[in-house]
Amino acid sequence: MRFSTPHDPTPHDPTRPGTTGPRPREPRRRRSRVLLAVAALLAALPGAVAAAPDAPAAPRAPAEPAPADCGAAYRIERQLDGGTTWRMCWRYDSDHGLVLGAVSYQPKGESRPIRVLDSAKLAQIHVPYDDGNAEYDDLTGAGFGWGLQSLRPEECPGGTLIPVRVPDQDPVNGLCTTTRARGHAYRLASDEGDKVWQAQATDLLVYTVNKVAWYEYVTEWRFTAEGAIAANVGATGSLAPEDYNGADGRGWPIGKGAKDYATSHAHNVFWKLDFALDGSRRGRIEQYDSKVTPPRGSGSPTVRTTRTPVTRELAGDATTMRWWRVVSERGTNTDGHPRSYEIVPGSSARHAGRPFTRHDVYFTQARACEQFASDNIRDCGAQGGTSVDRWVNGEQLVEPVVWVNIGFHHIARDEDQQPMPVHWQGFQLVPRDVTAMNPLTPDELAGHNGHQQSGS
């Protein structure tokens, strides 16, 4: 099953150039000649198609599905506390893993769903080791999609486990949808102290677990009642036992005394986001920078914020007081303000070892072949390059694609064994002017739009 887009070609097809066959689940090996030989072998394997989640195969979705058009097996719909409803389609791809599409958000008071994303998925997990002897592209080169794990009911508390089929394997209960308490959504005490407005938040979680050698990756998407989307990848499982050789200053001892130095390495996680705000893949990107001017004399510091339209492809770096937003070309809220989503990167250790890991975000014009941030297995032609940095070449942004890179430098510790606690990396998409007020505003405060009335 596919979502809408020409930007998301059908996975493996052995008749098309630039695609490869299925990648078996097997331990990652130390690289050089061994990895080159494995790559050559994999390229010769027969092709496979990313499969539907349950047998028998479900009917294909229309070319431009609305959330209700996915078919029940591929539809996720959940109303959260406060009246917000999230709707989306899902499918499973043998390289990307979980793919979400036709993602829409409908807070209370909105007569119809607001489309946010056409497609959202992982675009690579790049893992270079500090000693230079190993470097992996876990999605396209190490069998990520083929390592989907069957989840136990206790791993999906209070939720639903959905069967997923991976090519050449029996279906597994690999997709969890559930809700989870987050704490305060808001709190406001009246000036008189005799009234408190507060609400406790519940989020929708959608996640899978994929095993790549000793690592297990939790691919988690979190949707809030306020309209935010959080994308996170959690790495757990086990440290690679064959990598206990980092005694040259590029590892950390995890055995008794000065023994078993686990080699340090990085996890550079990339996501690919195809926006469709208000149902259109056309949109614009804006960058905002704020500059602080020190005070003069006894005055206070001043801050000036500037907006820069990003009209052409860009490799962007997150710096202090800089942010980006994707703006709808079609829709406004009831205040007449253009709807948009702000990109909020999480904590990141930017890795300078490869050109594609040297920037935090990339904005590219949509191209069907550009699917993986590194080791791209789609055919972009002889001059097209195989990584996202090569695709930032000055094209005008009409249908912008957003790539987010969040890095984590993993210097092991004793507590990483055994098993290894989950370490998370990710980012948020935060609504900016999607609604005219907080979508969870209590009815008593609904008249406060644009000004605060006395007594609250």
Side-chain angles (χ1 to χ4, degrees), residues 1 28 40 63 96 133 138 184 206 232 253 355 371 384 403 407 436:
M1 175 180 141
R28 298 187 300 190
H96 291 283
N133 290 327
D138 278 355
H184 275 88
V206 180
N232 294 290
Q371 294 294 317
W403 308 75

Side-chain angles (χ1 to χ4, degrees), residues 31-43:
R31 96 144 154 196
S32 71
R33 290 191 183 94
V34 173
L35 287 182
L36 292 174
V38 171
L41 175 61
L42 291 175

Side-chain angles (χ1 to χ4, degrees), residues 264-284:
S264 302
H265 53 280
H267 298 260
N268 303 309
V269 180
F270 291 83
W271 291 261
K272 180 177 184 287
L273 306 170
D274 293 86
F275 277 83
L277 283 171
D278 295 297
S280 174
R281 289 191 291 269
R282 297 175 68 92
R284 64 182 190 271

Side-chain angles (χ1 to χ4, degrees), residues 90-135:
W90 74 272
R91 67 177 175 84
Y92 192 81
D93 181 289
S94 55
D95 290 308
H96 291 283
L98 176 64
V99 183
L100 300 181
V103 178
S104 71
Y105 156 60
Q106 186 175 9
K108 70 176 184 179
E110 292 287 338
S111 61
R112 56 186 299 176
I114 300 166
R115 181 70 66 91
V116 180
L117 292 165
D118 187 64
S119 176
K121 58 192 175 185
L122 284 177
Q124 193 57 271
I125 301 176
H126 170 251
V127 187
Y129 277 69
D130 285 16
D131 60 9
N133 290 327
E135 184 176 357

Side-chain angles (χ1 to χ4, degrees), residues 300-313:
S300 297
T302 60
V303 180
R304 179 180 294 275
T305 299
T306 58
R307 176 181 67 91
T308 303
V310 180
T311 59
R312 296 192 178 274
E313 293 173 317

Side-chain angles (χ1 to χ4, degrees), residues 110 332-339 433-438 446 448-451:
E110 292 287 338
T332 61
N333 65 23
T334 56
D335 282 347
H337 302 150
R339 290 188 175 116
D433 306 336
V434 173
T435 53
M437 295 182 70
N438 181 347
H448 289 227
N449 185 20
H451 64 280

Side-chain angles (χ1 to χ4, degrees), residues 192-206:
E192 295 79 11
D194 59 347
K195 175 70 175 179
V196 172
W197 294 274
Q198 71 85 34
Q200 299 296 301
T202 300
D203 299 338
L204 166 63
L205 270 68
V206 180

Side-chain angles (χ1 to χ4, degrees), residues 362-382:
Y362 297 84
F363 302 103
T364 64
Q365 173 63 8
R367 291 285 178 262
C369 69
E370 297 172 359
Q371 294 294 317
F372 297 92
S374 65
D375 188 35
N376 183 51
I377 58 176
R378 308 296 183 229
D379 184 9
C380 289

